Amino acid sequence: MVRATWGAPANEEEARAYLQTRLTVLFKLMFWSIVALLALLLVMYGAYPAIEPRWNSYVYAIFTAGLSLMAFLWRGLLLRRTLAFAQLHAIDLTYSIGTNACIATCAVISYDFRPAAYVCLLYSCFTVLTRALIVPSTGKRTAIVTSLANAPVAVSAIVLAIHGGQEIPGPGFIVGYFQLGVVAVLLSAAGSRIIYGLRSQVSAAQQLGQYTLIKKIGEGGMGAVYLARHVMLRRPTAVKLLRPDRVGADNLARFEREVQHTSQLTHPNTVAVYDYGRSPDGVFYYAMEYLGGGIDLENLVREHGAQPAGRVVQILAQVCGALAEAHERGIIHRDIKPANIILCQRGIVPDVVKLVDFGLVKQITADTGQSTQVILGTPAYVAPEAVTDPSTIGPASDLYALGAVGYFLLTGRRVFEGKTAVDVCVQHVTATPIPPSTYVAVPAALEAIIARCLFKQPGDRFADARSLGRALAALEPTAWAEDDATRWWSTFRPRDTMTTSAPPELITVDLVNRNTGASA
């Protein structure tokens, strides 16, 4: 079950939106509470003018200015604009310090009405405690913010003790003021820390066999991938969430069936699927092997350019092994592309290939003038038969896409380019690929293998993934040995690494009901 409760936003954007919502609530409550205080002063001093402080008109001016600023931040910014985290934190700090500065100033101005000092102190405590209850914040941040907010109050206490003529002796007045301020800071910080702790404990108590999402590491058209960790095993895991409104009910049901089969695949070049299921609100999820420190082939070429022929041969051969097992089990990948092939290190072994996302396909809709045709796959790597007759997609379609991946790795170019997805698909059906050797030096035997993978008719390609793998293994050794791979990985700096400690706010996914959607 995916839980996105008030204590656990599901991602960074939800956390930002949640903080903005809570600040809006805080400003609304405090605005009207200060209006109520101002109304009380107007009524009280109207009824008893003799007790009104001499400079009370300045108190009204400060209240009016403060409420105007608060109304602008509340109604003009928080309710009308999407604000970044830095802006929201600035507003939070402005509220805390600004409100208490106004209160402290009013206490000094009303020095000749002695109860005013205690009323102002009471309201300053209200402001920091209310913030701690409403605004999501760590205990450390709350302690810092409330300490800064209480600084003006501390200054007002000193001024009043010296010039205010309070009944309590000056040192006692200052100590009492400071003590109440410190208590407010400690209670606020403890409250924030306890509330956050309770949120985590409640989530943990309600869930079993859970994965805790740490951060988003990828997102596509159909869902998002999160770096996660099992609460008990502490094993780094990748959890993918797929929503039916993005995938479509038919594709989601088909993909769910395929994940059930994929979880049984054991080839070392296939990403391991640990768990899967569908939550009551329709979100399909599965947990899989985390490939931290790796790089997908799309980014490999983008960042490091076309790859040596020897390395390409080894990559394609490993993918063939993964496809051979899947095809023998009746599983067609349907979306072989560079982004779905991860190159990583496993242990001390470099250049290990992992094939991911079995059955997760995109839909390309082409308006033919008579009907709408749905093509499964990614345009740059889609097989001709997927365009002309998607019902005939089979193992040969994956081999065509793998040939296109090899072409991309060797040349840094896609087999066909076009202005639209439909243009590219039409070229896959009708156009002849430009030989890779036109762009780079490619061994003739390897170029022949790539060309055979890209034949228009499925029957003209290799008989199966094993045959393609054997053809690649039979090529003469080229200049890419294990030492070359080891040196490459020694200088490679991955974008994403596993964090050693979890942040205070975590997203929890309960995968206990892994078979709830098995019959879908």
Side-chain angles (χ1 to χ4, degrees):
M1 180 183 300
V2 179
R3 299 186 185 275
T5 65
W6 62 277
N11 53 52
E12 185 175 348
E13 169 56 26
E14 287 190 16
R16 186 212 59 75
Y18 179 68
L19 174 58
Q20 184 163 343
T21 299
R22 302 308 293 175
L23 283 172
T24 303
V25 172
L26 174 66
F27 271 70
K28 180 179 179 179
L29 290 176
M30 292 309 301
F31 178 88
W32 290 114
S33 67
I34 294 175
V35 167
L37 175 60
L38 182 59
L40 174 64
L41 295 180
L42 288 170
V43 171
M44 183 175 66
Y45 293 146
Y48 308 105
I51 65 173
E52 183 177 5
R54 178 182 178 184
W55 306 106
N56 194 51
S57 59
Y58 291 101
V59 172
Y60 291 148
I62 291 172
F63 267 118
T64 301
L67 287 173
S68 298
L69 177 59
M70 187 175 291
F72 169 74
L73 295 175
W74 168 31
R75 307 291 300 185
L77 295 182
L78 291 171
L79 283 177
R80 297 180 182 275
R81 299 184 183 181
T82 299
L83 303 177
F85 269 117
Q87 295 172 308
L88 294 173
H89 289 316
I91 289 175
D92 177 25
L93 195 60
T94 299
Y95 156 79
S96 300
I97 298 178
T99 302
N100 275 13
C102 290
I103 291 173
T105 303
C106 291
V108 173
I109 291 174
S110 304
Y111 69 92
D112 52 337
F113 181 53
R114 292 170 182 173
Y118 305 104
V119 173
C120 288
L121 176 62
L122 185 63
Y123 256 77
S124 71
C125 293
F126 283 165
T127 61
V128 296
L129 291 172
T130 303
R131 178 203 171 275
L133 290 173
I134 297 176
V135 177
S137 175
T138 63
K140 180 179 180 180
R141 176 176 171 77
T142 295
I144 294 173
V145 171
T146 53
S147 295
L148 292 174
N150 274 341
V153 178
V155 173
S156 71
I158 296 174
V159 173
L160 288 171
I162 297 174
H163 301 291
Q166 303 296 322
E167 295 89 344
I168 302 175
F173 183 82
I174 293 174
V175 170
Y177 234 73
F178 271 63
Q179 181 179 7
L180 289 177
V182 170
V183 168
V185 171
L186 294 177
L187 289 177
S188 299
S192 289
R193 180 176 57 82
I194 291 172
I195 290 172
Y196 270 68
L198 287 174
R199 292 170 183 168
S200 300
Q201 292 176 22
V202 168
S203 295
Q206 291 179 343
Q207 300 174 35
L208 178 65
Q210 63 188 358
Y211 287 88
T212 303
L213 307 189
I214 298 174
K215 61 180 177 180
K216 184 185 293 185
I217 57 177
E219 186 169 14
M222 298 184 183
V225 181
Y226 292 87
L227 170 61
R229 184 167 50 210
H230 193 282
V231 170
M232 300 300 295
L233 300 179
R234 298 293 178 181
R235 174 177 61 188
T237 306
V239 173
K240 174 161 281 188
L241 307 180
L242 300 166
R243 297 190 177 277
D245 58 339
R246 294 188 180 184
V247 184
D250 293 340
N251 280 337
L252 188 62
R254 177 189 55 73
F255 182 58
E256 183 172 359
R257 290 192 296 269
E258 293 202 8
V259 169
Q260 294 173 27
H261 294 298
T262 305
S263 65
Q264 305 303 314
L265 298 178
T266 59
H267 194 278
N269 295 121
T270 300
V271 67
V273 175
Y274 301 143
D275 214 341
Y276 56 86
R278 190 188 297 198
S279 67
D281 56 352
V283 176
F284 182 80
Y285 52 77
Y286 67 99
M288 57 186 170
E289 179 182 6
Y290 173 58
L291 304 176
I295 184 171
D296 65 73
L297 299 188
E298 182 76 31
N299 283 310
L300 175 68
V301 172
R302 287 177 182 267
E303 297 174 10
H304 303 279
Q307 298 299 297
R311 192 181 203 186
V312 173
V313 169
Q314 294 177 21
I315 291 172
L316 297 182
Q318 292 183 67
V319 178
C320 284
L323 287 177
E325 182 194 23
H327 290 168
E328 288 178 5
R329 290 177 176 266
I331 301 172
I332 311 302
H333 191 287
R334 292 184 176 90
D335 199 23
I336 296 292
K337 60 182 179 182
N340 282 341
I341 302 172
I342 312 297
L343 197 61
C344 56
Q345 281 186 305
R346 307 311 279 175
I348 60 173
V349 181
D351 271 7
V352 175
V353 167
K354 290 288 183 175
L355 183 59
V356 303
D357 278 357
F358 275 84
L360 183 55
V361 298
K362 294 182 179 179
Q363 294 185 341
I364 310 161
T365 302
D367 187 357
T368 63
Q370 296 178 348
S371 62
T372 298
Q373 180 181 5
V374 176
I375 304 168
L376 301 180
T378 300
Y381 304 94
V382 69
E385 62 271 20
V387 179
T388 58
D389 188 3
S391 63
T392 63
I393 290 176
S397 304
D398 284 346
L399 300 187
Y400 181 94
L402 185 57
V405 170
Y407 189 104
F408 176 70
L409 291 174
L410 289 169
T411 65
R413 301 167 177 261
R414 295 183 174 87
V415 179
F416 299 113
E417 299 284 356
K419 294 182 179 180
T420 66
V422 175
D423 289 342
V424 175
C425 292
V426 170
Q427 291 183 70
H428 279 294
V429 176
T430 62
T432 301
I434 298 174
S437 58
T438 304
Y439 306 111
V440 295
V442 179
L446 176 57
E447 185 171 63
I449 290 175
I450 298 296
R452 185 173 176 183
C453 289
L454 295 176
F455 283 162
K456 304 300 182 186
Q457 296 301 320
D460 295 334
R461 300 169 202 151
F462 288 90
D464 50 38
R466 287 187 184 276
S467 299
L468 174 55
R470 285 194 292 267
L472 291 167
L475 292 174
E476 293 184 4
T478 53
W480 185 266
E482 184 174 341
D483 290 344
D484 298 308
T486 300
R487 282 193 295 272
W488 188 92
W489 282 98
S490 68
T491 60
F492 173 66
R493 294 294 179 265
R495 301 180 187 179
D496 180 68
T497 56
M498 178 69 180
T499 55
T500 56
S501 61
E505 293 183 69
L506 300 178
I507 311 164
T508 304
V509 176
D510 186 359
L511 300 181
V512 66
N513 297 315
R514 59 169 293 186
N515 293 317
T516 55
S519 61

